[in-house]
Amino acid sequence: MERPAPTPRTRGHVGTRPPTYDAEPTALPAADPDDLDDLVADTVLDGARYGACTLRAVSVRGDSARYRGEPRRDALLTARFGTGERALLLVAMATGTRAAPGAHRAAAEACHWIGRAVGRSHARLVEDIRDGRRGDLKSGLHRLTDRSLGKLRASASEQGVDPGEYAASLRCLLLSADPGCRTRVFFGVGPGGLFRLREGEWQDIEPQVSEVKGEPVLGFGSPPSETPEGDRLTMDLGIPTPPSPYEPAPEPPREPFRFRTSVARPGDTLLMCSGGLADPLRGEPELGEYLAERWSRPEPPGLAAFLADSQVRVKGYADDRTAAAVWEA
């Protein structure tokens, strides 16, 4: 009786030299007994199957943070809004500012605010995705992103911290649960990666951006840009800009908005990730080759296998890694 061929073992690292840090967590972050809700787990893992796609999502503390006992600066949110074929799946990931106090809280808040905004608009978004209204999607999601990050800046002001430090990059993926809809929508601000694995080859489809000029894009019933009294509003949150006889009130620079819709083909794998995985994918070809081989198989990996694949390390890259991959049936 023939024995089945053994499944190839996952690899600990790629490249010519092993990474500097240990492969497993070393130190836990310091805890405040009066604020235990502030603790962040080393690893978060999630997954689902809807319509024509299978989703895997993970966020893992980087080797450097594990060694130093620092919290994971990446945050991950996976959510379903609605039911049946009219349901909308959201994956949101955010990365807090490096070396800034409360970076993990800022990332979690960014995911919270965009999740709330998308959830409240999910019925409209589902219709726009199914009907292919790309222009409406782009303008509406730009508005939701601006308002969500505006709330993050308002939160920084309430806490008395620098809005430039209490900030986060934000990347999101929208998926329809309708099996007949293969349109995948990416949007966000800040660095990271968007890749497509097609016929065993990686394609870097990260949207290119130019400097944002002019007013934020309007959409989804956005409020007016000023009050009836003529006060300009900051990020449409209803906060009048304080007058100054010397100079206009400073505004934090806005990151360029990134947006892409793509129509998936059967057999595709779409990968959205934070810079912690995007950078080694672009910088170490062996990692891309390894993941292409692992993720081009007929069946999507289970949760444990996806976690192991996402943790394959590369020397010189020790940041948190957050990734969401979608396999098309």
Side-chain angles (χ1 to χ4, degrees), residues 266-322:
D268 281 357
T269 301
L270 183 67
L271 173 66
M272 176 181 74
C273 54
S274 65
L277 182 57
D279 292 344
L281 264 177
R282 294 184 176 117
E284 176 51 69
E286 191 177 348
L287 178 62
E289 293 167 5
Y290 175 76
L291 293 181
E293 190 278 325
R294 296 281 298 177
W295 293 350
S296 293
R297 297 175 184 180
E299 292 296 322
L303 289 178
F306 180 69
L307 171 62
D309 291 341
S310 302
Q311 290 188 106
V312 173
R313 302 180 307 142
V314 182
K315 186 172 179 62
Y317 299 95
D319 283 343
D320 298 348
R321 287 186 180 183
T322 302

Side-chain angles (χ1 to χ4, degrees), residues 50-52 80 84-89 175-181 184:
Y50 283 95
R80 171 179 59 87
E85 294 185 358
R86 303 186 70 81
L88 180 69
L89 310 183
L175 310 169
S176 170
D178 183 351
C181 179
R184 312 305 180 211

Side-chain angles (χ1 to χ4, degrees), residues 54 106 112 116 125 129 132 146-147 156-157 166 181 230 234 255 274 279 283 294 302 314:
T54 298
H112 170 86
R116 176 175 290 188
L125 289 167
I129 292 172
D146 274 355
R147 294 179 69 183
S157 298
Y166 196 78
C181 179
T234 302
E255 288 270 9
S274 65
D279 292 344
R294 296 281 298 177
V314 182

